[in-house]
Amino acid sequence: MFQTLNGFLQSWEYEAGATQKLLDALTDASLRQEVASMDRTLGRIAWHIVTAIHEMMSRTGLQFASPGEDGPVPTSAKVIADAYRQVNDAFVQALQTQWTDSTLKEMHNLYGEEWPNGITLMVLIRHQIHHRGQMTVLMRQAGLKVPGVYGPAREEWANLGMEAPKL
Ligand code: NI
């Protein structure tokens, strides 16, 4: 649970930056990558990450512009990556202008439970991490280079003058 708005914003800056790097690495063809025909494609997961910020945070009364969950998934990777950039900027600006530290203790109904906003922000981060992990697997399967998130990806070890650890 976040106690201060600044504490969240500092964590979120890194998380949103890592998400943006992944979205910027997508190609149009890769959006069709899927684990199985019953599962979400890479494009659908990426778009879910974009729209989930507003889907979740609007339940707290926070107001900012975002595409909705229900529209069709864009077929352009650039459209998805640019949408995340815009939604994220609007989200951060909304937090900075509409919330203070004390707003984090306010309770709202999220999916049938009462959560303080400080918890909702933590869940937002965890939800994004969960889907970002799914994305990195599908990105490898689609033959894309995957940027490192919490440490170097395979190709990035060489830039550090090191060999990737073998398992
Ligand atoms: Ni989800």
Side-chain angles (χ1 to χ4, degrees):
M1 159 144 187
F2 287 98
Q3 312 287 342
T4 66
L5 202 49
N6 207 36
F8 169 76
L9 289 169
Q10 283 183 10
S11 297
W12 182 255
E13 190 180 1
Y14 184 86
E15 296 299 330
T19 302
Q20 189 69 63
K21 269 199 294 182
L22 290 189
L23 294 173
D24 286 339
L26 296 176
T27 60
D28 294 351
S30 72
L31 302 181
R32 294 190 294 274
Q33 187 70 40
E34 60 188 10
V35 176
S37 58
M38 295 289 285
D39 293 310
R40 288 192 261 198
T41 60
L42 177 53
R44 184 165 286 283
I45 294 172
W47 190 238
H48 175 59
I49 286 178
V50 172
T51 58
I53 300 176
H54 187 269
E55 190 285 321
M56 194 177 295
M57 297 311 300
S58 63
R59 295 167 189 263
T60 69
L62 192 69
Q63 292 183 5
F64 57 99
S66 167
E69 281 250 280
D70 299 336
V73 176
T75 52
S76 155
K78 184 172 186 312
V79 165
I80 295 176
D82 287 348
Y84 186 83
R85 229 179 309 276
Q86 281 173 13
V87 169
N88 186 49
D89 283 351
F91 166 55
V92 168
Q93 204 191 349
L95 282 179
Q96 287 169 332
T97 55
Q98 297 169 35
W99 283 20
T100 64
D101 288 349
S102 62
T103 321
L104 300 179
K105 298 194 185 75
E106 276 179 17
M107 308 287 288
H108 288 281
N109 189 294
L110 275 283
Y111 315 106
E113 294 175 21
E114 292 293 316
W115 294 354
N117 288 336
I119 292 277
T120 305
L121 289 175
M122 195 178 68
V123 172
L124 179 74
I125 286 185
R126 290 181 177 168
H127 176 261
Q128 184 175 255
I129 290 169
H130 162 71
H131 288 299
R132 211 167 53 198
Q134 296 176 320
M135 277 186 64
T136 57
V137 175
L138 287 165
M139 287 171 74
R140 281 290 187 207
Q141 289 182 329
L144 297 184
K145 259 192 191 172
V146 176
V149 173
Y150 296 121
R154 177 169 13 101
E155 298 85 356
E156 294 169 344
W157 285 91
N159 300 338
L160 302 172
M162 296 160 85
E163 244 181 75
K166 293 199 178 56
L167 296 175

